[in-house]
Amino acid sequence: MRHWLVKTEPDAFSLEDLRRESPALWDGVRNYQARNFLREMQLGDVVLIQHSSCKAPAVVGLAVVSELALPDPTASDPEHKGFDPRQMADLEAGKTPRWVAPRLRYLRSLRSALPIARLKEKPELADSHLVRRARLSVMPLSEDEIQCIARLAGDDLKP
């Protein structure tokens, strides 16, 4: 089992939205490296949900991968901001879809939200992708990162 962190803007899709709509497709990712990480997710992997692009960015909850990555339907929808006409061409040609979306099932909120600012203060995370300025919207977490986040959050991060 691996651990992942996914970022979402709470104004667009919050942890509460995931709870209400669970299980839900994690769609709309349009970065190739992040897309590759979505493809690597396996059933049962634990996903930390981070609210970003908000007043207080923080890790706020847990989800689990409940279905492997499917073709992202938003990439085939001309009305969606993430529309990519290459997606339909790929699918029609029998190719692997360019954009994918796994299904995530809400597990729970963290005991208390863990501000990203607290993560940035930790020397043991100085070289981590978690605190770099140009972070991806989907990223794997190492066991050391998970242990540090668990300590800081006062939460075991278990499903």
Side-chain angles (χ1 to χ4, degrees):
M1 176 180 68
R2 292 183 71 182
H3 289 83
W4 303 89
L5 180 116
V6 298
K7 296 185 336 184
T8 185
E9 297 175 10
D11 291 345
F13 194 81
S14 68
L15 181 66
E16 181 60 23
D17 294 325
L18 178 61
R19 185 191 65 76
R20 275 194 312 275
E21 297 178 25
S22 185
L25 281 178
W26 201 261
D27 58 18
V29 173
R30 296 296 182 272
N31 172 286
Y32 286 103
Q33 188 175 3
R35 184 262 336 252
N36 292 342
F37 289 142
L38 291 175
R39 287 180 175 168
E40 289 180 30
M41 289 180 172
Q42 296 297 308
L43 294 177
D45 283 357
V46 175
V47 180
L48 279 70
I49 307 295
Q50 179 199 329
H51 284 168
S52 67
S53 298
C54 57
K55 187 175 180 179
V59 179
V60 294
L62 297 174
V64 66
V65 177
S66 63
E67 191 171 352
L68 299 179
L70 309 162
D72 184 337
T74 65
S76 302
D77 179 358
E79 303 298 314
H80 192 275
K81 68 178 182 177
F83 174 65
D84 185 343
R86 299 171 298 178
Q87 178 89 336
M88 289 303 297
D90 288 347
L91 294 173
E92 289 168 2
K95 295 181 180 176
T96 301
R98 187 172 308 261
W99 304 113
V100 297
R103 197 170 302 277
L104 301 183
R105 182 173 48 85
Y106 171 87
L107 289 176
R108 63 182 177 82
S109 296
L110 293 186
R111 290 186 185 117
S112 60
L114 176 59
I116 297 303
R118 284 202 56 210
L119 295 177
K120 290 180 177 183
E121 294 171 353
K122 294 298 170 190
E124 62 264 40
L125 295 176
D127 293 328
S128 171
H129 291 292
L130 280 169
V131 298
R132 291 192 183 146
R133 187 162 187 79
R135 295 179 307 131
L136 292 171
S137 61
V138 178
M139 67 185 86
L141 297 172
S142 70
E143 189 58 36
D144 288 343
E145 290 168 330
I146 284 295
Q147 295 305 319
C148 184
I149 292 168
R151 265 191 326 276
L152 291 171
D155 196 308
D156 62 12
L157 305 182
K158 303 251 188 270

